[in-house]
Amino acid sequence: MSKTNANTRLPRAKGIDMAAFYSAKECARRVKRIVLPNYNRKIIEEFITILGMKEKFEHYDVPIPNKIVMFGPPGTGKTLTAFYLAKRMELPLILVRLDAIIHSHLGETASNVRKIFEYAKATPCVLFLDEFDAIARTRENNDEVKEMARVVNTLLQCLDEFEGGSILTAATNLEAELDKAIWRRFDTKITYSLPDKKEAETYIALLIGDFSHEEQAMQIALEQLTGCSYADMEQVVLKAKRKAIIEDRRLTAAHIEEALVEYKPQPSL
Ligand SMILES: Nc1ncnc2c1ncn2[C@@H]1O[C@H](COP(=O)(O)OP(=O)(O)OP(=O)(O)O)[C@@H](O)[C@H]1O
Ligand SMILES: [Mg+2]
């Protein structure tokens, strides 16, 4: 696998200024506290293993997977997984929000889509299309969606022609609304959900880390954050830690309680 530019910040590629670039090193820094349920970890490991066995797969004439779609509620690790893949594969991450490339002239939108894929074809990377449903929505219903069908066709074509050293990842909260033809072009699908009790425990422990704390702080955080996303857990625990740092004290249950009142997480369970 190519490591071109993996550890340096890439310049913004000509023609795709709408993309953000992260070096593999930056990606590694962001995923230090990732919690993946075993079933998702297994899917990701298998995906990476296969990429390291290209010759064997070519020998058996079995295509190598290169497209992952991730779906699930907000704040559960979809974007983080794209960073994780880039770190593991030592490739830069190129992040594009599809809602940001929609232009009032749809011809321009289709051309933006093409430019992004051309870039990924020429430069090995993990291409991450966030807010994927913004374009890949089902082609039924209203006129606006019908007009978008042309852009969806461009996207389909780009997906079919996607090959080389890059990996495509896409994320959405609205998998039910994705166009079926788009959906079936992804060889790998990963479902995200809110953390269960064990995952919450693991994550809160990682967030507190070796920061000095009273035992009850952990307990309260666990009790009060049940049903919240990882993102909410992170916000509350970090807010509580800030309070402890200001007071130059260890992290207490009172800090967590205060952070909860201020941050107001909205449990989705
Ligand atoms: N599985 C996880 N493990 C560790 N941290 C997580 C996890 N999921 C989310 N987080 C934390 O929550 C924040 C948001 O996560 P992320 O951006 O991956 O969510 P997302 O699923 O992409 O959400 P959205 O649908 O809103 O884009 C990140 O700062 C990350 O640190
Ligand atoms: Mg995201």
Side-chain angles (χ1 to χ4, degrees):
M1 193 166 304
S2 167
K3 291 185 184 180
T4 318
N5 287 331
N7 293 312
T8 52
R9 195 171 182 89
L10 284 171
R12 296 224 156 212
K14 195 165 170 262
I16 58 161
D17 330 336
M18 54 280 200
F21 294 76
Y22 300 89
S23 69
K25 213 170 164 184
E26 275 179 84
C27 294
R29 198 174 46 75
R30 284 169 179 257
V31 298
K32 280 190 184 139
R33 296 192 290 231
I34 192 166
V35 177
L36 288 168
N38 284 338
Y39 48 88
N40 283 354
R41 193 171 283 277
K42 208 169 148 224
I43 295 172
I44 293 167
E45 288 306 321
E46 186 177 291
F47 186 89
I48 295 170
T49 304
I50 294 172
L51 291 171
M53 297 172 69
K54 281 193 175 159
E55 281 168 17
K56 194 162 183 181
F57 278 81
E58 274 158 19
H59 173 79
Y60 288 107
D61 200 19
V62 173
I64 291 159
N66 63 359
K67 299 183 201 79
I68 301 179
V69 63
M70 304 180 276
F71 53 95
T76 50
K78 299 179 293 297
T79 301
L80 203 61
T81 301
F83 281 97
Y84 179 71
L85 280 163
K87 175 212 152 174
R88 288 291 306 276
M89 294 166 64
E90 296 183 50
L91 288 173
L93 178 79
I94 291 171
L95 189 155
V96 186
R97 286 179 58 119
L98 281 198
D99 56 345
I101 68 159
I102 296 175
H103 197 276
S104 51
H105 298 292
L106 288 173
E108 195 70 29
T109 308
S111 142
N112 284 341
V113 169
R114 257 188 234 107
K115 278 180 197 160
I116 291 161
F117 277 83
E118 271 161 24
Y119 181 87
K121 203 169 182 177
T123 316
C125 65
V126 172
L127 174 60
F128 176 46
L129 305 181
D130 209 356
E131 309 296 334
F132 192 57
D133 49 274
I135 287 183
R137 269 180 200 231
T138 171
R139 282 180 279 187
E140 294 150 19
N141 303 327
N142 61 50
D143 286 347
E144 197 193 324
V145 175
K146 272 183 212 150
E147 275 199 54
M148 191 61 104
R150 258 190 54 217
V151 184
V152 175
N153 283 338
T154 302
L155 189 58
L156 283 171
Q157 205 180 349
C158 290
L159 289 171
D160 283 339
E161 290 165 6
F162 189 78
E163 55 178 26
S166 293
I167 294 303
L168 175 68
T169 57
T172 177
N173 302 129
L174 307 166
E175 81 272 18
E177 292 192 27
L178 282 195
D179 185 280
K180 282 202 174 64
I182 298 265
W183 182 250
R184 73 171 178 77
R185 277 162 170 88
F186 284 86
D187 45 62
T188 309
K189 283 145 187 156
I190 309 184
T191 320
Y192 290 77
S193 20
L194 296 169
D196 63 17
K197 186 133 192 276
K198 196 166 147 264
E199 286 149 9
E201 209 170 332
T202 307
Y203 190 50
I204 293 169
L206 281 172
L207 288 170
I208 296 179
D210 55 10
F211 197 90
S212 172
H213 65 282
E214 65 176 24
E215 208 40 55
Q216 259 217 307
M218 174 85 197
Q219 223 56 50
I220 292 285
L222 241 185
E223 270 166 31
Q224 300 290 324
L225 290 168
T226 300
C228 291
S229 66
Y230 289 93
D232 281 348
M233 292 182 176
E234 182 178 41
Q235 293 285 352
V236 169
V237 175
L238 295 185
K239 197 180 259 298
K241 262 185 167 179
R242 283 186 207 111
K243 291 178 187 301
I245 293 169
I246 292 170
E247 292 173 11
D248 199 17
R249 288 172 62 199
R250 64 182 183 151
L251 183 71
T252 64
H255 289 135
I256 300 277
E257 299 267 25
E258 233 180 282
L260 274 160
V261 171
E262 285 174 22
Y263 179 71
K264 299 180 183 58
Q266 292 192 321
S268 322
L269 283 183

